[in-house]
């Protein structure tokens, strides 16, 4: 199949244009390029944290963008029309926003958003044709690259030179000031085609990438170029090929593409390997004032703060020591979801070594996400009514960056999804043990006895035993009238479910919880775990603690705040 740009390439007098089909091709080529180079880009990832995942994060970000673009084309598949450029670039930007991973992936999402702002302008302002291509588009594309670089810098709390931001700015500057001609000469001047613009942008980015080791001392010491900038170069190379049909010569990811200038100023950025313990990422629904408050709060909590998006939906990325506080800041600002908390672990040399063992846990609320992360687990947040897909679990297993992973689904409904994720991870060479935890309190019990120092099989047996010895219950609100094992409930009734079955029907939270506790403790127990939801008052937890203490002298109680979760109260009895 001939690419849209290849037809234009055959006639050098015809301006090569970026249309919807070329954007689709760009996403596909960028995904292929990052797939090939992912491991090598990961290997040179030394800034801002040497956690060896920049290539993977960029790949996952572009994968989400590509899926969104394909969805736009699928929507037109049954008709005679084709997507136009504005719809396509907006879909690409939105897909990257909701799927952005890591520091570089989040910045890339903002770069694509900036391009979409300009390329998605109204047709009357652009002077486009019916096919959605940009007429005289080189100038327009240069403006898109400039807006992309500008937005990306604004999204980063403390921009540092020698990073993906530098490479993006250089690409935009080169596209704006250079007008390549058919014979290869260059000059400043009037409008030119998209093909010339993307060639110039790529060339400028390649030179800028080569200079990054001289701008950021940590790169110079490691003898590598910036990993995020290297990934962006791969994305720009894909753009060149999508528009012109020409594939730029490959660059070895760890090598410097050109000789460094004889004199390069070194920046004074703090590149100490020490830093916060956690990476926190979430999508956030809020308004501009909410984002302004969030930026101030998170900037005081940690570093590597990047907030991208707009129009009510944002992607938040920060490195902190207190993961719970970072999530709470999001709750105060709006509605956070798709929360991912990653423990960086110990770094060795200039690159994070793969740990021997890690735990991945699915949790129902932000509070438990912070709790499990502080215990060293990589977490996946399950929103009410939106359980994680197997791909999200596989992503979390990869982020755990370990040879051996214990997977805690913490939900009976996730058993098949978790099994599929474990199987895929095993195919990638990771040893995965799936413990079939059916509730978050079982996962907490398993995590409490986790010991990375003992043999893998012994650790899995101990965690499985602790989970199996924990009875679980939850209090939920009935949505409609229905038959249950405890009788007929009405909409709005409180249901006390023990081990998944309705055992108690009540109308008042505290009284229903006390009845559930009596039922569970009638068979004995040593420890009661209470996980209370966001809207449950502290007085309830205090009442239940006192109730257990007064009625069961030998039983201890521990209380956790679960944040926004589907059930107001989770109960575990070990």
């Amino acid at each position: 199949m001939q690419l849209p740009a290849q037809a234009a390439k055959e006639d050098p007098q015809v301006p090569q244009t970026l249309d919807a089909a070329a954007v689709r091709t760009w996403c596909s080529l960028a995904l292929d390029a990052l797939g090939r180079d992912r491991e090598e880009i990961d290997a040179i990832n030394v800034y801002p944290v040497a956690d060896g995942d920049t290539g993977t994060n960029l790949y996952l970000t572009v994968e989400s963008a590509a899926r969104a673009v394909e969805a736009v084309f699928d929507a037109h598949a049954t008709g005679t029309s084709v997507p136009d450029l504005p719809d396509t670039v907006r879909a690409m930007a939105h897909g990257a926003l909701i799927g952005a991973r890591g520091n570089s992936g989040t910045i890339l999402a903002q770069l694509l958003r900036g391009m979409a702002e300009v390329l998605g302008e109204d047709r009357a302002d652009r002077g486009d044709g019916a096919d959605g291509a940009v007429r005289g588009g080189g100038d327009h594309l240069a403006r898109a690259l400039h807006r992309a670089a500008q937005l990306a810098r604004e999204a980063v709390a403390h921009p540092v030179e020698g990073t993906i931001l530098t490479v993006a700015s250089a690409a935009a500057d080169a596209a704006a000031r250079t007008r390549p001609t058919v014979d290869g000469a260059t000059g400043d001047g009037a409008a030119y085609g998209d093909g010339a613009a993307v060639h110039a942008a790529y060339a400028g980015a390649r030179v800028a990438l080569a200079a990054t080791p001289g701008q950021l001392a940590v790169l110079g010491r490691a003898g590598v170029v910036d990993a995020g900038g290297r990934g962006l170069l791969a994305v720009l190379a894909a753009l060149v090929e999508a528009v012109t049909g020409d594939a730029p010569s490959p660059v070895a990811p760890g090598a410097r593409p050109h000789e460094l200038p004889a004199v390069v100023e070194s920046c004074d950025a703090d590149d100490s390997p020490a830093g916060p313990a956690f990476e926190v990422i979430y999508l956030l629904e809020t308004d501009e004032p909410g984002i302004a408050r969030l930026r101030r709060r998170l900037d005081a909590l940690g570093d590597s703060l990047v907030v991208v998006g707009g129009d009510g939906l944002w992607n938040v990325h920060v490195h902190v020591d207190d993961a719970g506080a970072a999530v709470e800041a999001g709750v105060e600002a709006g509605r956070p979801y798709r929360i991912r908390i990653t423990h960086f672990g110990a770094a060795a040399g200039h690159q994070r070594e793969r740990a021997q063992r890690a735990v991945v846990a699915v949790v129902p609320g932000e509070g438990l996400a912070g709790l499990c992360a502080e215990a060293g687990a990589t977490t996946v947040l399950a929103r009410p009514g939106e359980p994680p897909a197997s791909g999200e679990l596989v992503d979390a297993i990869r982020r755990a960056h370990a040879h051996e992973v214990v997977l805690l689904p913490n939900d009976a409904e996730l058993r098949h999804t978790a099994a599929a994720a474990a199987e895929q991870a095993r195919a990638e060479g990771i040893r995965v043990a799936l413990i079939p935890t059916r509730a978050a309190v079982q996962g907490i019990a398993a995590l409490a006895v986790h010991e990375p120092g003992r043999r893998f099989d012994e650790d899995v047996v101990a965690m499985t035993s602790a989970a199996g010895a924990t009875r679980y219950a939850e209090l939920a609100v009935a949505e409609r009238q229905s038959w249950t094992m405890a009788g007929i409930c009405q909409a709005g009734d409180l249901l006390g479910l023990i081990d998944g079955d309705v055992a108690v029907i009540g109308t008042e939270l505290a009284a229903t919880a006390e009845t559930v506790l009596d039922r569970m403790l009638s068979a004995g127990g040593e420890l009661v775990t209470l996980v209370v939801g966001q809207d449950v008052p502290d007085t309830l937890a205090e009442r239940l603690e006192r109730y257990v203490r007064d009625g069961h002298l030998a039983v201890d109680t521990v209380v956790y705040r679960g944040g926004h979760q589907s059930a107001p109260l989770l109960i575990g009895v070990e």
Side-chain angles (χ1 to χ4, degrees):
M1 182 181 72
Q2 189 180 49
L3 296 179
Q6 287 176 319
K9 181 187 171 191
E10 294 171 0
D11 182 0
Q13 301 303 315
V14 178
Q16 299 161 25
T17 58
L18 181 67
D19 58 11
V23 171
R24 185 187 195 185
T25 302
W26 176 24
C27 289
S28 176
L29 292 172
L31 194 61
D32 288 345
L34 290 170
R36 289 191 304 270
D37 298 342
R38 178 180 61 81
E39 291 185 0
E40 294 178 69
I41 296 174
D42 284 345
I44 64 169
N45 173 201
V46 300
Y47 183 86
V49 177
D51 51 351
D53 63 359
T54 292
T56 299
N57 288 336
L58 288 170
Y59 177 87
L60 293 170
T61 302
V62 172
E63 182 181 46
S64 182
R67 281 200 302 267
V69 169
E70 288 302 315
V72 171
F73 275 83
D74 288 344
H76 287 76
T78 57
T80 57
S81 64
V82 295
D84 62 10
L85 180 63
D87 286 344
T88 307
V89 293
R90 287 169 188 153
M92 174 182 65
H94 182 73
L97 174 67
I98 64 174
R101 300 291 199 276
N103 191 71
S104 295
T106 307
I107 293 173
L108 177 61
Q110 190 74 340
L111 289 168
L112 295 179
R113 178 181 176 84
M115 292 188 69
E117 277 192 13
V118 176
L119 297 177
E121 290 171 351
D122 185 74
R123 287 179 186 274
D125 296 333
R126 294 195 324 265
D128 290 0
D131 59 358
V134 181
R135 301 306 181 206
D139 297 315
H140 195 73
L141 187 52
R143 285 202 301 114
L145 291 167
H146 173 75
R147 180 59 176 158
Q150 179 187 36
L151 274 190
R153 283 185 178 272
E154 292 174 356
V156 177
H158 303 285
V160 173
E161 296 305 325
T163 64
I164 186 174
L165 297 175
T166 306
V167 177
S169 295
D173 291 344
R177 69 171 179 263
T178 307
R179 183 165 64 93
T181 60
V182 175
D183 61 2
T186 61
D188 298 329
Y192 54 95
D194 285 349
V198 296
H199 270 299
Y202 176 79
R206 185 162 175 159
V207 172
L209 178 66
T212 57
Q215 295 173 294
L216 201 52
V218 65
L219 300 177
R221 288 196 299 269
V224 297
V225 295
D226 178 67
R230 174 59 184 86
L232 178 59
L233 191 68
V235 172
L236 290 174
L239 179 59
V240 172
E241 186 173 358
V243 172
T244 71
D246 295 328
S249 58
V251 175
R256 300 176 182 182
H258 296 293
E259 291 297 323
L260 288 175
V263 178
V264 182
E265 294 183 3
S266 175
C267 75
D268 295 325
D270 180 12
D271 51 43
S272 169
F278 300 101
E279 177 185 60
V280 179
I281 304 174
Y282 49 80
L283 292 177
L284 180 69
E285 293 179 355
T286 189
D287 53 17
E288 292 281 354
I291 281 296
R293 293 191 300 271
L294 179 70
R295 287 180 188 273
R296 291 192 295 271
R297 175 84 180 275
L298 293 182
D299 197 25
L301 283 175
D303 60 30
S304 297
L305 173 60
V306 184
V307 181
V308 304
D311 302 321
L313 180 62
W314 309 80
N315 191 306
V316 180
H317 170 281
V318 68
H319 295 171
V320 292
D321 281 321
D322 190 343
V327 175
E328 288 172 8
V331 173
E332 293 174 3
R335 188 173 76 91
Y337 59 100
R338 291 196 185 180
I339 299 171
R340 296 187 296 275
I341 301 175
T342 304
H343 188 274
F344 286 124
H350 67 269
Q351 183 183 347
R352 174 187 166 200
E353 294 290 342
R354 186 177 291 273
Q356 182 59 34
R357 189 174 310 153
V359 176
V360 172
V362 179
V363 291
E366 304 90 347
L368 288 185
L371 173 71
C372 293
E374 289 170 7
T378 296
T379 61
V380 178
L381 186 70
R383 292 183 65 198
E386 295 184 23
S390 61
E392 291 181 73
L393 298 185
V394 173
D395 177 28
I397 292 171
R398 291 172 181 148
R399 286 189 289 117
H401 204 60
H403 296 288
E404 302 166 339
V405 172
V406 180
L407 178 58
L408 305 173
N410 296 336
D411 187 338
E413 300 298 321
L414 284 178
R415 60 188 184 279
H416 297 306
T417 301
E423 196 61 35
Q424 182 174 340
R426 291 180 189 123
E428 297 177 9
I430 304 171
R431 188 180 184 188
V432 181
L434 171 60
I435 297 179
T437 48
R438 294 174 291 173
V441 289
Q442 289 188 323
I444 293 172
L447 193 56
V449 300
H450 168 55
E451 291 186 15
R454 62 185 164 199
R455 290 178 58 248
F456 184 61
D457 292 337
E458 293 176 354
D459 198 30
V460 171
V461 168
M463 295 176 72
T464 303
S465 178
T470 302
R471 298 190 69 195
Y472 63 94
E474 69 174 88
L475 268 67
V477 179
E479 296 180 356
R480 63 185 67 87
Q481 183 188 61
S482 61
W483 291 88
T484 75
M485 295 185 65
I488 300 176
C489 71
Q490 304 297 325
D493 282 348
L494 282 167
L495 306 180
L497 292 86
I498 299 177
D499 294 337
D501 295 321
V502 177
V504 178
I505 299 175
T507 57
E508 198 267 327
L509 185 60
T512 307
E514 289 173 353
T515 303
V516 170
L517 283 168
D518 284 340
R519 298 269 187 102
M520 298 181 75
L521 289 170
S522 64
E526 298 176 355
L527 176 66
V528 171
T529 299
L530 303 175
V531 182
V532 294
Q534 177 74 24
D535 299 325
V536 176
D538 292 335
T539 53
L540 174 69
E542 294 168 359
R543 172 176 168 172
L544 295 180
E545 280 189 281
R546 187 166 54 252
Y547 185 81
V548 172
R549 184 172 60 250
D550 292 345
H552 306 273
L553 298 179
V555 180
D556 293 325
T557 304
V558 60
V559 178
Y560 299 115
R561 276 285 173 187
H564 289 287
Q565 57 189 35
S566 57
L569 179 66
L570 306 176
I571 302 173
V573 174
E574 297 180 47

